[in-house]
Amino acid sequence: MPLREHLVEIRKRLVLSALGILVGAVVGWMVYDTVFQLLQEPLLAAAERRDALIGLNFDGVATAIDMKVKVSVFLGVLLSSPWWLYQLFAFITPGLTSVEKRYSFAFIAVAVPLFLAGIALAWYMLPRAVALLNEFVPPDTSNLIGAQMYLGFVMRLMLAFGIAFLVPVVMVALNMMGVVRASTWLAGWRWAVLVSFLFAAIMTPTPDVLTMFSVALPICALYFVAYGVSVLHDRRVDKRDAARLAL
């Protein structure tokens, strides 16, 4: 495909993804009040446990509306994840053969639950993160957190976990495109394990080893599952190429 057609295709997929996120953001705007209460719960629980003033601080005239817009857009990204993930793979699939293009929907069927599983794990970790960080607040003091800062923290945490869980899907996609063979993934398994544990150590809020392992091990397992799928694909391709050479 010429460069111009690639650029046109990228623009098309970006526009379609943006429209999907916009629709999701409209839904997010309508459920904002419920979501905002859920976001506050970790802070309220920490305040009750420490018997201290802990909460969100809207420190500007437009902060409240700005936060509502940002939360709505963030919810739009989450709700429309099946749509924009499909657009991503729809852009990649022209590089595949006609047979391999059939795997596109399988990729979406796997990518969406993995992305949402990462988001769910981050949501599970959020109350623990808030509780731990508030342990450092001195007694008889208040902790009024900037609403924008808190929202940024939550968004980064969730997106980091969601993207981390998508890495195995990208690995398999690159393998099926013929860019990377399974042997390359195997050669880099030590680095993959190291990066997984570093990610878990940085992103998990509690200092205990069990929590770190509970985050790192699923990521490592997904890496090796992706490697296994790549091995099966390489064997099928090698067998097909050998049969062609034999003719």
Side-chain angles (χ1 to χ4, degrees), residues 114 121 125 161 164-165 168 189 192-204 208-226:
L114 284 178
L121 182 58
M125 300 299 299
F161 275 86
F165 274 55
W189 74 269
V193 172
L194 176 62
V195 171
S196 298
F197 275 89
L198 285 175
F199 174 81
I202 293 171
M203 299 306 296
T204 51
D208 61 286
V209 177
L210 182 61
T211 302
M212 183 183 70
F213 270 79
S214 67
V215 174
L217 289 181
I219 298 176
C220 292
L222 289 172
Y223 182 91
F224 286 106
V225 168

Short mmCIF file of all heavy atoms in Angstrom, two decimals, residues 114 121 125 161 164-165 168 189 192-204 208-226:
data_model
loop_
_atom_site.label_atom_id
_atom_site.label_comp_id
_atom_site.label_asym_id
_atom_site.label_seq_id
_atom_site.Cartn_x
_atom_site.Cartn_y
_atom_site.Cartn_z
N LEU A 114 -9.19 -8.60 27.89
CA LEU A 114 -7.90 -8.38 28.54
C LEU A 114 -7.75 -6.92 28.97
O LEU A 114 -7.28 -6.64 30.08
CB LEU A 114 -6.76 -8.78 27.61
CG LEU A 114 -6.49 -10.27 27.44
CD1 LEU A 114 -5.37 -10.51 26.44
CD2 LEU A 114 -6.16 -10.93 28.78
N LEU A 121 -8.41 -4.79 37.45
CA LEU A 121 -7.34 -5.01 38.42
C LEU A 121 -6.87 -3.68 39.01
O LEU A 121 -6.62 -3.57 40.22
CB LEU A 121 -6.18 -5.74 37.77
CG LEU A 121 -4.99 -6.08 38.68
CD1 LEU A 121 -5.44 -6.94 39.86
CD2 LEU A 121 -3.89 -6.80 37.89
N MET A 125 -6.98 -2.30 42.87
CA MET A 125 -5.81 -1.80 43.59
C MET A 125 -6.01 -0.38 44.11
O MET A 125 -5.32 0.05 45.03
CB MET A 125 -4.59 -1.83 42.67
CG MET A 125 -4.21 -3.19 42.12
SD MET A 125 -3.79 -4.38 43.42
CE MET A 125 -2.39 -3.56 44.16
N PHE A 161 -2.50 -0.38 33.53
CA PHE A 161 -2.85 -1.80 33.66
C PHE A 161 -3.57 -2.31 32.40
O PHE A 161 -3.31 -3.42 31.95
CB PHE A 161 -3.73 -2.01 34.89
CG PHE A 161 -2.94 -2.18 36.16
CD1 PHE A 161 -2.53 -1.08 36.90
CD2 PHE A 161 -2.58 -3.44 36.61
CE1 PHE A 161 -1.80 -1.24 38.06
CE2 PHE A 161 -1.85 -3.61 37.77
CZ PHE A 161 -1.46 -2.50 38.50
N ALA A 164 -0.98 -2.74 29.67
CA ALA A 164 -0.09 -3.86 29.99
C ALA A 164 -0.74 -5.19 29.63
O ALA A 164 -0.06 -6.11 29.14
CB ALA A 164 0.27 -3.83 31.48
N PHE A 165 -2.03 -5.30 29.84
CA PHE A 165 -2.73 -6.55 29.52
C PHE A 165 -2.96 -6.71 28.01
O PHE A 165 -3.34 -7.80 27.57
CB PHE A 165 -4.07 -6.60 30.27
CG PHE A 165 -3.96 -7.16 31.66
CD1 PHE A 165 -3.07 -6.61 32.58
CD2 PHE A 165 -4.72 -8.24 32.06
CE1 PHE A 165 -2.96 -7.12 33.86
CE2 PHE A 165 -4.61 -8.77 33.33
CZ PHE A 165 -3.73 -8.21 34.25
N PRO A 168 0.28 -8.89 25.19
CA PRO A 168 0.29 -10.21 24.54
C PRO A 168 -0.47 -10.24 23.22
O PRO A 168 -0.08 -10.96 22.29
CB PRO A 168 -0.39 -11.12 25.59
CG PRO A 168 -0.20 -10.41 26.88
CD PRO A 168 -0.27 -8.96 26.55
N TRP A 189 12.46 -13.66 27.01
CA TRP A 189 11.56 -13.93 28.14
C TRP A 189 12.10 -13.40 29.47
O TRP A 189 11.33 -12.97 30.33
CB TRP A 189 11.27 -15.42 28.24
CG TRP A 189 12.40 -16.27 28.78
CD1 TRP A 189 13.38 -16.90 28.07
CD2 TRP A 189 12.65 -16.58 30.17
NE1 TRP A 189 14.24 -17.57 28.91
CE2 TRP A 189 13.80 -17.40 30.20
CE3 TRP A 189 12.02 -16.24 31.37
CZ2 TRP A 189 14.34 -17.87 31.39
CZ3 TRP A 189 12.55 -16.72 32.56
CH2 TRP A 189 13.70 -17.52 32.56
N ALA A 192 11.25 -9.86 29.66
CA ALA A 192 9.80 -9.72 29.85
C ALA A 192 9.41 -9.92 31.31
O ALA A 192 8.61 -9.17 31.86
CB ALA A 192 9.06 -10.72 28.96
N VAL A 193 9.99 -10.95 31.93
CA VAL A 193 9.71 -11.21 33.35
C VAL A 193 10.22 -10.05 34.22
O VAL A 193 9.52 -9.60 35.14
CB VAL A 193 10.35 -12.54 33.79
CG1 VAL A 193 10.23 -12.71 35.30
CG2 VAL A 193 9.68 -13.71 33.06
N LEU A 194 11.43 -9.57 33.90
CA LEU A 194 11.99 -8.46 34.67
C LEU A 194 11.12 -7.22 34.56
O LEU A 194 10.80 -6.57 35.59
CB LEU A 194 13.41 -8.15 34.17
CG LEU A 194 14.11 -6.94 34.82
CD1 LEU A 194 14.27 -7.17 36.32
CD2 LEU A 194 15.45 -6.67 34.15
N VAL A 195 10.70 -6.89 33.34
CA VAL A 195 9.86 -5.70 33.14
C VAL A 195 8.51 -5.88 33.83
O VAL A 195 7.97 -4.93 34.42
CB VAL A 195 9.67 -5.43 31.63
CG1 VAL A 195 8.62 -4.36 31.40
CG2 VAL A 195 10.99 -5.01 31.00
N SER A 196 7.96 -7.09 33.80
CA SER A 196 6.68 -7.36 34.45
C SER A 196 6.76 -7.11 35.95
O SER A 196 5.87 -6.48 36.55
CB SER A 196 6.23 -8.80 34.18
OG SER A 196 6.03 -9.02 32.81
N PHE A 197 7.84 -7.59 36.56
CA PHE A 197 7.98 -7.40 38.01
C PHE A 197 8.32 -5.95 38.36
O PHE A 197 7.88 -5.45 39.41
CB PHE A 197 9.03 -8.36 38.56
CG PHE A 197 8.48 -9.72 38.88
CD1 PHE A 197 8.44 -10.72 37.93
CD2 PHE A 197 7.98 -10.00 40.15
CE1 PHE A 197 7.91 -11.97 38.22
CE2 PHE A 197 7.46 -11.24 40.46
CZ PHE A 197 7.42 -12.24 39.48
N LEU A 198 9.08 -5.28 37.51
CA LEU A 198 9.35 -3.86 37.75
C LEU A 198 8.06 -3.05 37.65
O LEU A 198 7.80 -2.17 38.48
CB LEU A 198 10.37 -3.34 36.74
CG LEU A 198 11.83 -3.73 36.97
CD1 LEU A 198 12.71 -3.24 35.83
CD2 LEU A 198 12.33 -3.18 38.30
N PHE A 199 7.25 -3.38 36.65
CA PHE A 199 5.96 -2.71 36.50
C PHE A 199 5.09 -2.94 37.72
O PHE A 199 4.47 -2.01 38.25
CB PHE A 199 5.26 -3.22 35.23
CG PHE A 199 3.86 -2.70 35.05
CD1 PHE A 199 3.64 -1.46 34.51
CD2 PHE A 199 2.77 -3.47 35.41
CE1 PHE A 199 2.35 -0.98 34.33
CE2 PHE A 199 1.48 -3.01 35.24
CZ PHE A 199 1.27 -1.75 34.70
N ALA A 200 5.05 -4.20 38.18
CA ALA A 200 4.23 -4.53 39.35
C ALA A 200 4.74 -3.82 40.60
O ALA A 200 3.96 -3.33 41.41
CB ALA A 200 4.22 -6.04 39.57
N ALA A 201 6.07 -3.75 40.74
CA ALA A 201 6.65 -3.10 41.92
C ALA A 201 6.34 -1.61 41.94
O ALA A 201 6.11 -1.02 43.01
CB ALA A 201 8.15 -3.33 41.95
N ILE A 202 6.33 -1.00 40.76
CA ILE A 202 6.07 0.44 40.67
C ILE A 202 4.59 0.76 40.84
O ILE A 202 4.21 1.70 41.54
CB ILE A 202 6.59 1.00 39.33
CG1 ILE A 202 8.12 0.91 39.28
CG2 ILE A 202 6.16 2.45 39.14
CD1 ILE A 202 8.69 1.23 37.92
N MET A 203 3.75 -0.07 40.22
CA MET A 203 2.33 0.25 40.17
C MET A 203 1.54 -0.24 41.37
O MET A 203 0.47 0.30 41.68
CB MET A 203 1.70 -0.33 38.90
CG MET A 203 2.29 0.23 37.61
SD MET A 203 2.26 2.03 37.51
CE MET A 203 0.51 2.35 37.52
N THR A 204 2.02 -1.28 42.06
CA THR A 204 1.27 -1.76 43.23
C THR A 204 1.53 -0.84 44.41
O THR A 204 2.68 -0.50 44.71
CB THR A 204 1.69 -3.20 43.60
OG1 THR A 204 3.11 -3.28 43.71
CG2 THR A 204 1.22 -4.18 42.55
N ASP A 208 3.90 -5.22 50.32
CA ASP A 208 4.03 -6.66 50.50
C ASP A 208 4.31 -7.35 49.18
O ASP A 208 3.86 -6.94 48.11
CB ASP A 208 2.76 -7.24 51.15
CG ASP A 208 1.53 -7.01 50.28
OD1 ASP A 208 1.06 -5.85 50.23
OD2 ASP A 208 1.07 -7.96 49.64
N VAL A 209 5.07 -8.44 49.26
CA VAL A 209 5.49 -9.18 48.07
C VAL A 209 4.32 -9.89 47.42
O VAL A 209 4.27 -10.02 46.19
CB VAL A 209 6.59 -10.20 48.45
CG1 VAL A 209 6.99 -11.05 47.25
CG2 VAL A 209 7.80 -9.49 49.03
N LEU A 210 3.35 -10.33 48.21
CA LEU A 210 2.21 -11.08 47.67
C LEU A 210 1.43 -10.26 46.66
O LEU A 210 1.05 -10.75 45.60
CB LEU A 210 1.30 -11.52 48.82
CG LEU A 210 0.07 -12.36 48.41
CD1 LEU A 210 0.51 -13.65 47.75
CD2 LEU A 210 -0.79 -12.65 49.64
N THR A 211 1.20 -8.98 46.97
CA THR A 211 0.47 -8.12 46.06
C THR A 211 1.24 -7.92 44.76
O THR A 211 0.67 -7.94 43.67
CB THR A 211 0.19 -6.75 46.72
OG1 THR A 211 -0.55 -6.95 47.92
CG2 THR A 211 -0.60 -5.86 45.78
N MET A 212 2.56 -7.73 44.87
CA MET A 212 3.38 -7.55 43.68
C MET A 212 3.32 -8.80 42.80
O MET A 212 3.18 -8.70 41.58
CB MET A 212 4.83 -7.26 44.07
CG MET A 212 5.75 -7.00 42.88
SD MET A 212 7.47 -6.74 43.33
CE MET A 212 7.93 -8.41 43.85
N PHE A 213 3.40 -9.98 43.41
CA PHE A 213 3.33 -11.22 42.65
C PHE A 213 1.96 -11.39 42.01
O PHE A 213 1.85 -11.92 40.89
CB PHE A 213 3.66 -12.42 43.55
CG PHE A 213 5.11 -12.77 43.57
CD1 PHE A 213 6.00 -12.03 44.35
CD2 PHE A 213 5.62 -13.81 42.82
CE1 PHE A 213 7.35 -12.33 44.37
CE2 PHE A 213 6.97 -14.13 42.83
CZ PHE A 213 7.84 -13.39 43.61
N SER A 214 0.91 -10.97 42.70
CA SER A 214 -0.44 -11.14 42.17
C SER A 214 -0.67 -10.29 40.92
O SER A 214 -1.55 -10.60 40.11
CB SER A 214 -1.48 -10.76 43.24
OG SER A 214 -1.41 -9.38 43.54
N VAL A 215 0.13 -9.24 40.75
CA VAL A 215 0.04 -8.41 39.54
C VAL A 215 1.01 -8.90 38.48
O VAL A 215 0.67 -8.99 37.30
CB VAL A 215 0.34 -6.93 39.89
CG1 VAL A 215 0.41 -6.08 38.61
CG2 VAL A 215 -0.72 -6.38 40.82
N ALA A 216 2.23 -9.24 38.88
CA ALA A 216 3.27 -9.61 37.92
C ALA A 216 3.02 -10.97 37.28
O ALA A 216 3.24 -11.14 36.06
CB ALA A 216 4.64 -9.61 38.59
N LEU A 217 2.56 -11.94 38.05
CA LEU A 217 2.40 -13.30 37.51
C LEU A 217 1.37 -13.39 36.38
O LEU A 217 1.62 -14.06 35.37
CB LEU A 217 2.05 -14.27 38.65
CG LEU A 217 3.20 -14.57 39.63
CD1 LEU A 217 2.76 -15.55 40.69
CD2 LEU A 217 4.43 -15.10 38.89
N PRO A 218 0.20 -12.73 36.49
CA PRO A 218 -0.73 -12.77 35.35
C PRO A 218 -0.12 -12.16 34.08
O PRO A 218 -0.35 -12.67 32.97
CB PRO A 218 -1.93 -11.95 35.84
CG PRO A 218 -1.88 -12.06 37.32
CD PRO A 218 -0.42 -12.08 37.66
N ILE A 219 0.65 -11.09 34.23
CA ILE A 219 1.29 -10.47 33.06
C ILE A 219 2.31 -11.43 32.45
O ILE A 219 2.37 -11.58 31.22
CB ILE A 219 1.95 -9.13 33.46
CG1 ILE A 219 0.90 -8.15 33.96
CG2 ILE A 219 2.70 -8.54 32.28
CD1 ILE A 219 1.46 -6.84 34.46
N CYS A 220 3.10 -12.08 33.30
CA CYS A 220 4.07 -13.08 32.80
C CYS A 220 3.35 -14.24 32.11
O CYS A 220 3.79 -14.72 31.05
CB CYS A 220 4.92 -13.59 33.95
SG CYS A 220 6.05 -12.38 34.66
N ALA A 221 2.26 -14.69 32.72
CA ALA A 221 1.50 -15.81 32.14
C ALA A 221 0.96 -15.44 30.76
O ALA A 221 1.02 -16.24 29.82
CB ALA A 221 0.37 -16.21 33.08
N LEU A 222 0.46 -14.23 30.62
CA LEU A 222 -0.06 -13.79 29.33
C LEU A 222 1.05 -13.71 28.29
O LEU A 222 0.84 -14.01 27.11
CB LEU A 222 -0.72 -12.42 29.48
CG LEU A 222 -2.05 -12.39 30.25
CD1 LEU A 222 -2.50 -10.96 30.49
CD2 LEU A 222 -3.12 -13.17 29.49
N TYR A 223 2.25 -13.34 28.71
CA TYR A 223 3.40 -13.30 27.79
C TYR A 223 3.69 -14.69 27.23
O TYR A 223 3.88 -14.86 26.02
CB TYR A 223 4.63 -12.76 28.53
CG TYR A 223 5.86 -12.63 27.66
CD1 TYR A 223 6.13 -11.45 26.97
CD2 TYR A 223 6.76 -13.69 27.52
CE1 TYR A 223 7.25 -11.33 26.16
CE2 TYR A 223 7.89 -13.58 26.71
CZ TYR A 223 8.13 -12.39 26.04
OH TYR A 223 9.23 -12.28 25.23
N PHE A 224 3.70 -15.68 28.11
CA PHE A 224 4.02 -17.04 27.66
C PHE A 224 2.86 -17.66 26.87
O PHE A 224 3.10 -18.50 25.98
CB PHE A 224 4.41 -17.91 28.85
CG PHE A 224 5.78 -17.59 29.37
CD1 PHE A 224 5.94 -16.90 30.56
CD2 PHE A 224 6.92 -17.97 28.66
CE1 PHE A 224 7.21 -16.58 31.03
CE2 PHE A 224 8.19 -17.67 29.13
CZ PHE A 224 8.34 -16.98 30.32
N VAL A 225 1.64 -17.27 27.18
CA VAL A 225 0.51 -17.72 26.35
C VAL A 225 0.66 -17.16 24.93
O VAL A 225 0.45 -17.88 23.93
CB VAL A 225 -0.83 -17.27 26.97
CG1 VAL A 225 -1.97 -17.48 25.98
CG2 VAL A 225 -1.10 -18.05 28.25
N ALA A 226 1.03 -15.88 24.83
CA ALA A 226 1.25 -15.27 23.52
C ALA A 226 2.39 -15.97 22.79
O ALA A 226 2.32 -16.18 21.57
CB ALA A 226 1.55 -13.78 23.68
#
